[in-house]
């Protein structure tokens, strides 16, 4: 469990989203000072420091501590969010998923939805993430629409707070399926109750 936590912190500290994957791959192939991507991630020893930190490879501080040399991993890991097929996952990337979800909604709502996109979750904090989402989303939607991301204070907890507030304000009243309803109508009750606004 501790290793998972440490590696999650490592991911948060070292990763960024490449605006041009091929260009960054070329930089990562370089040696010495020409490679501006390579870094050392010094692992926490839970004695002197409880969280790891990133440093340049030529920095000789803390050489007695364990470290990971990271290069292409810094931008290749987040790339899976945009191109899952690169790692053998047959799914849409985030921009395509956004476009697909919006296209399932009534035509009149699409412009408002694309103008109010909320990105939440820890990965949103990767440098370059938001810019890349907008850039990659643009080809999937009509040019008449303005694509805008809403700024939120804390993307990590935003979804939870929205859910909590929706329940407090009664937005979920009559939005639950009881066991009796499910037993009587079966799985079709989900579509009737929750997805009847979607276009068929």
């Amino acid at each position: 469990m501790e290793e998972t936590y440490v590696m999650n912190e490592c991911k948060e500290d070292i990763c960024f989203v490449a605006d041009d994957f091929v260009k960054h791959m070329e930089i990562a192939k370089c040696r010495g000072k020409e490679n501006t991507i390579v870094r050392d991630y010094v692992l926490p020893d839970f004695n002197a420091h409880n969280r790891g930190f990133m440093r340049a490879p030529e920095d000789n501080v803390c050489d007695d501590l364990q470290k990971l040399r990271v290069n292409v991993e810094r931008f290749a890991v987040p790339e899976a969010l945009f191109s899952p097929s690169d790692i053998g996952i047959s799914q849409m990337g985030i921009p395509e998923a956004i476009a697909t979800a919006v296209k399932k909604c009534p035509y009149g709502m699409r412009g408002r939805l694309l103008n109010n996109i909320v990105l939440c979750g820890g990965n949103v904090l990767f440098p370059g993430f938001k810019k890349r989402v907008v850039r990659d989303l643009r080809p999937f939607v009509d040019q008449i629409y303005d694509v805008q991301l809403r700024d939120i204070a804390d993307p990590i907890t935003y979804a939870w707070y929205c859910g909590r507030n929706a329940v407090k304000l009664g937005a979920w009243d009559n939005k639950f399926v009881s066991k009796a309803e499910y037993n009587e109508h079966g799985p079709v009750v989900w579509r009737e109750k929750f997805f009847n606004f979607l276009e068929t």
Side-chain angles (χ1 to χ4, degrees):
M1 186 64 179
E2 198 172 89
E3 294 85 357
T4 303
Y5 183 77
V6 169
M7 291 317 298
N8 190 58
E9 285 184 338
C10 177
K11 178 194 75 167
E12 291 171 357
D13 293 343
I14 67 168
C15 287
F16 67 93
V17 175
D19 56 347
D20 185 339
F21 188 79
V22 175
K23 180 184 88 174
H24 282 80
M25 283 295 284
E26 291 302 316
I27 295 170
K29 289 178 188 175
C30 297
R31 296 194 178 274
K33 292 188 177 183
E34 291 180 9
N35 186 340
T36 56
I37 295 172
V38 67
R39 293 287 185 274
D40 282 343
Y41 187 76
V42 180
L43 296 169
D45 62 359
F46 300 104
N47 196 6
H49 58 279
N50 289 327
R51 185 178 177 108
F53 58 91
M54 188 169 59
R55 66 179 174 91
E58 60 271 9
D59 189 349
N60 290 323
V61 177
C62 301
D63 269 358
D64 57 326
L65 296 174
Q66 290 183 322
K67 56 187 176 286
L68 299 172
R69 176 70 46 97
V70 289
N71 189 16
V72 69
E73 300 86 1
R74 293 188 64 204
F75 59 90
V77 169
E79 189 65 23
L81 299 169
F82 296 89
S83 303
S85 59
D86 290 353
I87 58 170
I89 298 175
S90 181
Q91 291 183 356
M92 296 179 268
I94 290 173
E96 188 179 356
I98 292 170
T100 301
V102 169
K103 286 177 184 173
K104 294 271 186 187
C105 295
Y107 187 81
M109 291 176 60
R110 294 176 188 175
R112 285 176 278 174
L113 291 172
L114 288 168
N115 201 26
N116 289 288
I117 297 171
V118 175
L119 298 174
C120 56
N123 292 333
V124 174
L125 300 174
F126 288 146
F129 186 91
K130 293 177 182 178
K131 184 178 176 185
R132 176 77 181 274
V133 167
V134 172
R135 190 196 77 188
D136 287 7
L137 178 59
R138 190 75 261 176
F140 289 110
V141 298
D142 293 336
Q143 294 300 313
I144 60 168
Y145 296 126
D146 186 26
V147 175
Q148 293 288 325
L149 303 181
R150 286 187 53 205
D151 286 327
I152 53 176
D154 184 6
I156 295 173
T157 59
Y158 187 76
W160 184 87
Y161 280 110
C162 287
R164 183 196 68 175
N165 291 340
V167 170
K168 275 185 171 179
L169 297 171
W172 291 99
D173 294 350
N174 301 319
K175 298 293 185 203
F176 297 99
V177 173
S178 69
K179 184 169 177 20
E181 285 178 300
Y182 186 83
N183 288 340
E184 183 179 342
H185 302 288
V188 73
V189 73
W190 292 100
R191 183 159 191 82
E192 291 172 356
K193 204 159 194 178
F194 303 117
F195 302 109
N196 57 0
F197 69 93
L198 298 177
E199 293 180 349
T200 55

